[in-house]
């Protein structure tokens, strides 16, 4: 990316936005050399669409499935992760349409952007590198963390079982890794995952 604001780097901005379903933040644009005035100019002439404060989209970029998740994450980034039902969707572990975008942030975080249709979960459990993967340019909880998260908050058991089976069938995780993740949660979660794993093995 361009380190100066003298010459806007349209190619760098397009590359950044392309990795994020066509969306980009003010800070990302500025890192590519776009001043606030230039951003406003492009928004007024329609080249960029101003989606929300600090968030834009390339006007002509093709729409993608789950792009609303990407947009919601960008407004809370960088310490937020897509989680729960939204993570199931991005990981391809569920075809159920969630009624909200789910994100998780550290409990110590003080400043959050209020977004209608977005559910913010907080956690005191640090997210290790192994807990996070990248999808559509955003940070997403990995298969094990996602499955135990949705099991813990009470997502329908059949959805949890389906997610377990899908993750195993696609070699996204293993039975031992899922059992290890479940041990950090309550007995109900462990029992549900044990049942799903036993059912998959038969």
């Amino acid at each position: 990316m361009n380190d100066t604001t003298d010459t806007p780097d349209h190619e760098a901005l397009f590359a950044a936005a392309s990795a994020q379903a066509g969306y980009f933040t003010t800070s990302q644009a500025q890192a590519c050399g776009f001043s606030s005035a230039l951003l406003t100019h492009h928004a007024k002439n329609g080249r960029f669409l101003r989606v929300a404060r600090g968030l834009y989209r390339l006007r002509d970029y093709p729409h993608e499935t789950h792009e609303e998740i990407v947009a919601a994450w960008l407004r809370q980034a960088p310490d937020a992760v897509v989680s729960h039902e939204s993570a199931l969707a991005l990981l391809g572990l569920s075809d159920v349409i969630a009624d909200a975008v789910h994100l998780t942030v550290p409990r110590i975080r003080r400043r959050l952007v209020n977004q209608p249709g977005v559910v913010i979960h907080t956690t005191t459990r640090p997210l290790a590198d192994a807990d996070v993967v990248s999808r559509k340019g955003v940070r997403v909880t990995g298969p094990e963390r996602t499955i135990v998260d949705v099991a813990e908050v009470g997502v329908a058991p059949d959805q949890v079982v389906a997610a377990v089976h899908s993750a195993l069938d696609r070699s996204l995780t293993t039975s031992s890794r899922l059992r290890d993740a479940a041990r950090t949660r309550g007995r109900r979660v462990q029992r549900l995952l044990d049942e799903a794993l036993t059912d998959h093995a038969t």
Side-chain angles (χ1 to χ4, degrees):
M1 291 186 178
N2 195 337
D3 292 330
T4 73
T5 57
D6 294 331
T7 305
D9 190 336
H10 289 270
E11 290 185 2
L13 183 61
F14 181 82
S18 294
Q20 300 167 167
Y23 291 89
F24 60 92
T25 64
T26 298
S27 60
Q28 288 176 324
Q30 289 174 341
C32 294
F34 289 79
S35 65
S36 296
L38 189 55
L39 268 178
T40 300
H41 168 73
H42 285 308
K44 283 183 176 179
N45 69 24
R47 182 171 189 172
F48 299 157
L49 302 178
R50 187 177 186 273
V51 179
R53 183 177 181 180
L55 182 66
Y56 295 82
R57 191 180 192 282
L58 300 177
R59 180 192 61 194
D60 298 323
Y61 196 85
H63 289 282
E64 296 184 9
T65 306
H66 304 313
E67 67 175 60
E68 74 284 355
I69 298 175
V70 177
W73 175 81
L74 281 169
R75 296 192 69 198
Q76 304 289 351
D79 61 346
V81 291
V82 176
S83 62
H84 297 79
E85 293 99 313
S86 299
L88 285 180
L90 287 189
L91 294 170
L93 299 179
S94 174
D95 56 6
V96 176
I97 300 175
D99 58 2
V101 174
H102 292 261
L103 304 173
T104 293
V105 301
R107 188 162 296 172
I108 60 173
R109 178 166 166 173
R110 293 288 178 261
R111 187 169 177 270
L112 293 170
V113 178
N114 183 31
Q115 300 181 75
V118 175
V119 175
I120 300 292
H121 304 265
T122 60
T123 181
T124 57
R125 298 183 179 98
L127 285 164
D129 290 343
D131 289 330
V132 181
V133 297
S134 178
R135 294 290 188 278
K136 292 183 179 289
V138 307
R139 298 174 73 233
V140 184
T141 51
E144 299 86 18
R145 174 85 183 220
T146 298
I147 288 170
V148 296
D149 277 348
V150 295
E152 187 173 54
V153 299
V155 166
D158 61 329
Q159 292 185 42
V160 177
V161 171
V164 168
H165 291 187
S166 178
L168 291 172
D169 290 343
R170 293 165 54 203
S171 300
L172 297 180
T173 187
T174 64
S175 297
S176 62
R177 280 156 55 187
L178 284 170
R179 285 196 169 94
D180 286 344
R183 288 191 189 100
T184 66
R185 311 300 171 99
R187 291 190 177 218
R188 182 181 61 81
V189 173
Q190 293 180 51
R191 185 168 58 252
L192 178 56
L193 261 67
D194 278 341
E195 291 172 356
L197 292 169
T198 299
D199 181 61
H200 183 268
T202 58

